[in-house]
C-alpha cells in the first residue's frame, strides 16, 4: 500500500487530526486532492516543521525503520527489546502526524523523512567497499580482533567473514564494551558527527584513539591509508544509543501557581514605553543596520528598561517597529494596537515571541553580536518551544531542562550553547509573564495550549481577558511641577506627557517634570494654553496646581512673539524680467514678495511656481541649492506600482479533510 492509498483510507476524524498536526498544510493554497496532499506532506519545509515537534522515542522508531530496514512492529520491538505495545503506540503517533503509515504489520516512512535519517550514516562506507581496497593483513587483523579465526581464509572469504562480524549486534557490542572510556567517547563522537574526512576530502590522520579502534576491529584501514568506520558499525551504535526510553517522569513544580498578570502588564508597559519613544525619536541605527549596544544602553538608562533587545525584536516581529532610512520608528499601526485591550496586545507579543527562531537576549555569534532587529540564523526557538510545551500542566521547569534533549532531539547545540539558549528563554519568558519561578504562569499555560492553532491570536486574547483587564493609568499633578503616573496611561496622555514634560524616573510609577522647554514644545506642536490646561485637568481628574498653571501662562505670554514666514522658493533673474513678473496681473495670486531688485520670494512649491510662470508666458528653469540648472530626465517605460502586502488565509482542518475525502475541489 502506498502513502496516497493510506491517506485515502483515513476517515474524516483521523485525517482532521493529521492536518491539525501539520498546520502548514492548512495555508492557502491548500491541496486540491490526496495526491497533492501526499506531495505536500513529503515537502522539505513541512517535514522540517514536523521534526521540531518530534520527541526522542518517535525519532528512534523512525531512525530504526530507515537505517535497519526493519518493517514490522514486532521486529522493531525485538530490536529495541521493549514491549510491542510501546512500539505500536510510537508508530501510531508517527502515522497521526503524517510521517509514516502501516500496511498490515509493515511500517513505512514518507520518502524524504527516510532519506533524512539514512543521511545520518551517509558519510560512512559499507564494510565490503572498504575491505575490497584494504590490505589482506589489515582484514585478518580486524577479523581476529572481533573474535574470529582468519586462518586459511582468502580475501573474498575474509570480506564475507568481516561483514558477518560487523553486522552482529553481540560481536560489536562486546568490542565496544571492551574499549577504554576515552576511546568510547571518541567513537561516540565519530558516530554522531559522521566526520570521516577532513575539509580536503581525505581521511583524517589517525590518532591514539583511532589506532585503538583499528586494533579493536571496529575501524578498518581504508583505501587512502586512513582508518574508516564501517556503516554497519555506525548503524548498530545508533540503535544502541537511540532506542526508546519512554517519556521522562516530570514532577509537578513545588512553586505556587501564578497568573503572571503583574509581569505581563510590566511587559506591555516596557514595550509601549519603547515604542512611544520610537514614535517621537526613531531608534538610531548602526551603519550596517540594527540598534547597537550604545543606543540600547542609552534607551535603557533614559527609559528605565531592561533587556532592550527583547522589546526591539518583539516589536519589530509584531510589525509595531519598522525600518526607515533615518532609523527605526514606530509603525503606522502602532497607535491602533496601543488602544486595544491588554489581552489583545499581550496575545500579539507573546505569540510573536513564542514563534521567534532566535533568542533576542542571546544574539552572539562567532563574529560577535548581531544587533536587533537584524535576522540571526538560530535554533533557539526550537529549544524554547520544546521547553515550554514540556512544562505545560504545572510541571517543573528544572526537571524539563534535565530531559530537554528527549523532548527536542534535533537541536544543534553543544552543552554550553544549550545552557545559554535555555537561560535566555527563561529570562525572556519571565519578563513577558509566561514563566514565574519553576513553572508556567496561567498566561503561559494558555499560550502553550493555543500556539500552533489556526489564527491563535483572537482565541488567546479571549481566554486571558479576565487575567488582563484594562486598568486606567492614574496621573497625579504635584505642586513641584512633577506628574506621577501609575500604571500605563492611554495614548493621548502619553503623547501629551512626551511633548510637555521630561521623564525623571520610569517604572510601574513614573515621574515626569514639566519645564518651560517642554511646555513650549507642546505649544510648538499646536496646543494652546487653554487646551493644555483642559487636557491636563481631564486626565488627572483635578484642578492644576498653581505653579503649573503659572508656568503655562508665562510660556504662553512669550510664545509666538517672534514669527517666521514660510518661503518655499525664490525667483532669480535680470531686474527687468523680475519687475515684469512682479507686476503681471495674471500672477497676482502667487503672493510674490520683492526681496531685492533681482530676487522675488514665493510661498509655493518650486515645481508649481515654474509651471505657473510658464503658463504666463515666461521661460523659467529650476535650479538646485548650488545654482546649477536642473534638466529633468525624459520619462520612459511604465511607472512601477508598489506591491500590495498579501496575507495567506487558512482553511479549518475539518473543512479541508471533508473536501479532500469528497474528491477535492478545483483550485481558485
Amino acid at each position: 500500500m502506498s502513502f496516497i492509498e493510506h491517506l485515502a483510507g483515513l476517515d474524516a476524524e483521523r485525517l482532521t487530526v493529521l492536518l491539525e498536526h501539520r498546520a502548514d498544510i492548512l495555508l492557502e493554497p491548500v491541496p486540491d486532492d490526496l495526491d497533492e496532499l501526499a506531495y505536500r506532506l513529503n515537502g522539505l519545509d513541512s517535514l522540517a516543521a514536523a521534526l521540531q515537534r518530534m520527541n526522542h522515542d518517535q525519532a528512534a522508531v523512525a531512525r530504526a525503520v530507515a537505517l535497519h530496514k526493519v518493517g514490522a512492529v514486532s521486529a522493531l520491538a525485538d530490536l529495541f527489546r521493549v514491549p510491542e505495545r510501546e512500539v505500536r503506540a510510537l508508530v501510531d503517533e508517527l502515522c497521526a502526524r503524517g510521517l509514516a503509515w502501516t500496511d498490515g504489520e509493515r511500517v513505512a516512512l514518507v520518502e524524504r523523512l527516510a532519506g533524512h535519517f539514512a543521511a545520518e550514516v551517509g558519510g560512512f562506507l559499507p564494510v565490503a567497499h572498504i575491505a575490497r581496497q584494504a590490505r589482506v593483513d589489515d582484514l585478518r587483523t580486524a577479523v581476529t580482533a572481533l573474535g574470529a579465526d582468519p586462518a586459511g581464509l582468502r580475501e573474498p572469504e575474509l570480506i564475507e567473514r568481516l561483514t558477518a562480524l560487523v553486522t552482529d549486534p553481540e560481536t560489536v557490542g562486546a568490542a565496544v564494551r571492551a574499549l577504554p572510556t576515552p576511546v568510547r567517547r571518541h567513537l561516540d563522537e565519530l558516530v554522531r558527527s559522521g566526520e570521516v574526512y577532513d575539509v580536503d576530502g581525505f581521511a583524517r590522520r589517525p590518532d591514539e584513539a583511532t589506532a585503538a579502534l583499528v586494533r579493536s576491529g571496529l575501524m578498518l584501514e581504508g583505501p587512502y591509508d586512513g582508518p574508516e568506520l564501517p556503516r554497519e558499525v555506525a548503524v548498530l551504535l545508533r540503535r544502541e544509543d537511540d532506542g526508546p526510553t519512554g517519556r521522562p517522569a516530570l514532577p509537578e513544580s513545588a512553586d505556587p501557581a501564578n497568573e503572571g498578570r503583574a509581569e505581563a502588564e510590566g511587559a506591555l508597559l516596557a514595550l509601549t514605553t519603547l515604542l512611544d519613544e520610537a514614535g517621537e525619536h526613531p531608534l538610531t541605527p548602526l551603519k550596517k543596520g540594527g540598534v547597537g549596544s550604545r543606543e540600547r544602553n542609552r534607551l535603557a538608562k533614559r527609559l528605565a528598561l531592561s533587556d532592550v533587545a527583547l522589546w526591539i525584536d518583539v516589536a519589530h516581529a509584531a510589525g509595531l517597529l519598522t525600518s526607515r532610512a533615518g532609523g527605526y520608528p514606530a509603525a503606522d499601526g502602532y497607535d491602533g494596537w496601543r488602544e486595544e485591550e491588554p489581552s489583545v496586545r499581550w496575545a500579539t507579543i507573546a505569540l510573536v515571541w513564542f514563534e521567534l527562531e532566535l533568542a533576542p537576549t542571546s544574539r552572539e555569534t562567532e563574529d560577535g553580536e548581531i544587533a536587533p532587529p537584524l535576522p540571526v540564523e538560530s535554533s533557539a526557538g526550537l529549544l524554547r518551544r520544546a521547553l515550554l510545551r514540556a512544562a505545560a500542566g504545572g510541571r517543573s521547569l528544572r526537571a524539563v531542562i534535565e530531559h530537554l534533549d528527549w523532548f527536542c532531539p534535533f537541536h544543534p547545540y553543544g552543552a554550553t550553547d544549550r545552557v545559554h539558549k535555555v537561560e535566555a528563554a527563561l529570562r525572556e519568558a519571565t519578563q513577558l509573564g509566561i514563566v514565574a519561578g519553576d513553572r508556567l504562569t496561567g498566561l503561559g499555560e494558555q499560550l502553550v495550549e493555543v500556539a500552533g492553532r489556526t489564527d491563535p491570536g483572537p482565541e488567546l486574547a479571549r481566554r486571558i481577558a479576565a487575567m488582563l483587564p484594562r486598568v486606567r493609568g492614574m496621573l497625579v499633578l504635584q505642586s513641584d511641577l512633577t506628574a506621577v503616573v501609575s500604571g500605563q496611561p492611554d495614548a493621548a496622555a502619553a503623547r501629551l506627557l512626551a511633548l510637555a514634560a521630561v521623564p525623571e524616573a520610569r517604572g510601574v510609577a513614573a515621574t515626569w517634570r514639566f519645564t518651560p522647554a517642554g511646555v513650549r514644545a507642546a505649544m510648538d506642536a499646536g496646543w494652546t494654553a487653554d487646551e493644555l490646561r483642559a487636557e491636563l485637568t481631564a486626565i488627572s481628574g483635578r484642578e492644576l496646581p498653581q505653579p503649573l498653571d503659572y508656568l503655562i501662562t508665562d510660556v504662553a505670554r512669550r510664545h509666538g512673539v517672534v514669527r517666521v514666514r514660510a518661503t518655499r522658493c525664490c525667483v532669480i533673474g535680470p531686474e527687468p524680467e523680475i519687475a515684469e513678473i512682479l507686476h503681471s496681473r495674471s500672477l497676482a495670486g502667487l503672493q510674490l514678495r520683492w526681496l531685492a531688485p533681482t530676487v522675488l520670494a514665493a510661498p509655493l512649491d518650486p515645481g508649481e511656481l515654474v509651471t505657473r510662470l510658464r503658463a504666463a508666458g515666461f521661460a523659467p528653469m529650476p535650479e538646485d541649492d548650488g545654482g546649477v540648472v536642473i534638466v529633468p530626465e525624459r520619462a520612459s517605460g511604465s511607472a512601477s506600482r508598489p506591491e500590495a502586502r498579501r496575507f495567506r488565509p487558512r482553511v479549518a482542518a475539518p473543512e479541508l479533510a471533508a473536501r479532500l475525502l469528497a474528491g477535492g475541489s478545483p483550485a481558485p
Side-chain angles (χ1 to χ4, degrees), residues 200-331:
D200 297 318
F202 294 100
R204 295 185 177 277
R205 287 178 168 274
D207 52 21
E208 185 176 345
T210 303
L213 290 172
V214 172
R215 291 193 298 270
S216 71
L218 295 172
M219 293 189 77
L220 187 64
E221 290 289 349
Y224 303 106
D225 295 328
E228 295 201 40
L229 184 73
R231 180 179 296 175
E232 293 83 353
V233 175
V235 168
L236 287 175
L237 291 176
R238 276 285 188 181
R239 184 202 71 178
E240 182 179 340
D241 289 344
D242 294 332
T245 60
R247 184 183 180 89
L250 300 175
E252 186 175 348
S253 174
D255 287 2
N258 183 343
E259 282 192 348
R261 174 179 170 178
E263 292 77 9
E265 289 176 344
L268 292 176
L269 179 60
L271 194 62
T272 52
T273 299
L274 176 73
L275 289 168
D276 286 345
E277 175 73 11
E280 296 293 328
H281 310 286
L283 311 186
T284 304
L286 298 170
K287 289 183 179 179
K288 59 183 179 181
V291 181
S293 58
R294 179 177 296 180
E295 172 70 354
R296 298 202 306 271
N297 290 336
R298 182 190 72 81
L299 291 169
K301 184 176 180 180
R302 170 175 164 75
L303 306 179
L305 296 178
S306 59
D307 292 328
V308 175
L310 169 62
W311 311 121
I312 292 175
D313 271 329
V314 168
H316 188 265
L320 302 173
L321 185 73
T322 189
S323 174
R324 293 180 185 163
Y328 292 93

Side-chain angles (χ1 to χ4, degrees), residues 9 39 74 101 106 118 231 240 265 309 328 388 419 421 438 576 587 593 621 637 647:
Y39 178 80
S74 58
W101 76 98
R106 188 179 71 88
R231 180 179 296 175
E240 182 179 340
E265 289 176 344
Y328 292 93
L388 298 182
V419 168
K421 300 306 177 186
D438 187 41
L587 301 177
R593 296 291 181 267
M621 284 293 289
F647 297 91

Side-chain angles (χ1 to χ4, degrees), residues 544-555:
L544 266 62
Q546 193 176 65
L548 179 56
D549 188 29
Y550 285 173
L551 173 63
I552 294 173
T553 301
D554 184 56
V555 172

Side-chain angles (χ1 to χ4, degrees), residues 619-636:
M621 284 293 289
E623 67 179 25
D624 62 15
D625 294 341
V628 179
V629 174
I630 301 172
V631 180
E633 295 182 1
R634 290 180 296 173
S636 61

Side-chain angles (χ1 to χ4, degrees), residues 296-575:
R296 298 202 306 271
N297 290 336
R298 182 190 72 81
L299 291 169
K301 184 176 180 180
R302 170 175 164 75
L303 306 179
L305 296 178
S306 59
D307 292 328
V308 175
L310 169 62
W311 311 121
I312 292 175
D313 271 329
V314 168
H316 188 265
L320 302 173
L321 185 73
T322 189
S323 174
R324 293 180 185 163
Y328 292 93
D332 294 337
Y334 165 61
D335 285 343
W337 174 85
R338 198 185 192 287
E339 293 302 313
E340 293 279 4
E341 292 294 322
S343 57
V344 174
R345 286 183 282 141
W346 189 86
T348 300
I349 65 173
L351 286 166
V352 161
W353 172 82
F354 188 78
E355 295 298 335
L356 280 177
E357 295 303 330
L358 57 88
T361 58
S362 180
R363 287 177 144 268
E364 300 79 14
T365 67
E366 293 180 356
D367 299 325
E369 183 196 62
I370 297 179
L374 297 180
V376 180
E377 185 175 349
S378 174
S379 296
L382 181 64
L383 278 175
R384 176 197 309 125
R385 290 185 286 274
L387 171 66
L388 298 182
R389 285 175 179 140
R395 296 183 179 91
S396 166
L397 279 164
R398 285 188 288 270
V400 172
I401 293 170
E402 292 179 6
H403 300 283
L404 189 54
D405 289 344
W406 189 92
F407 294 99
C408 187
F410 297 112
H411 74 78
Y413 298 112
T416 302
D417 289 337
R418 174 182 175 276
V419 168
H420 290 162
K421 300 306 177 186
V422 169
E423 288 177 347
L426 293 176
R427 179 168 58 249
E428 294 160 11
T430 302
Q431 289 268 45
L432 286 160
I434 296 167
V435 163
D438 187 41
R439 67 185 301 159
L440 298 185
T441 63
L443 292 169
E445 295 280 1
Q446 296 297 334
L447 168 67
V448 171
E449 185 174 344
V450 169
R453 297 187 183 184
T454 302
D455 195 17
E459 173 63 14
L460 180 57
R462 183 188 67 79
R463 291 185 176 206
I464 65 173
M467 300 184 198
L468 283 176
R470 181 183 288 273
V471 178
R472 187 175 182 272
M474 293 184 60
L475 185 144
V476 178
L477 300 173
Q478 303 188 118
S479 58
D480 61 351
L481 296 179
T482 62
V484 177
V485 182
S486 61
Q488 183 173 310
D490 60 25
R495 282 193 291 268
L496 179 56
L497 286 173
L499 272 176
V502 294
E504 289 193 338
R506 298 274 190 173
V508 176
T511 303
W512 296 75
R513 179 171 295 279
F514 292 93
T515 64
V519 175
R520 272 199 307 273
M523 292 182 177
D524 292 342
W527 290 83
T528 66
D530 290 339
E531 289 171 341
L532 272 177
R533 292 189 185 95
E535 185 66 16
L536 289 172
T537 300
I539 62 178
S540 65
R542 62 194 68 187
E543 293 295 324
L544 266 62
Q546 193 176 65
L548 179 56
D549 188 29
Y550 285 173
L551 173 63
I552 294 173
T553 301
D554 184 56
V555 172
R557 185 174 58 253
R558 291 176 293 170
H559 190 266
V561 172
V562 176
R563 301 186 182 186
V564 177
R565 178 174 295 180
T567 298
R568 300 287 295 275
C569 60
C570 294
V571 182
I572 302 172
E575 186 174 349

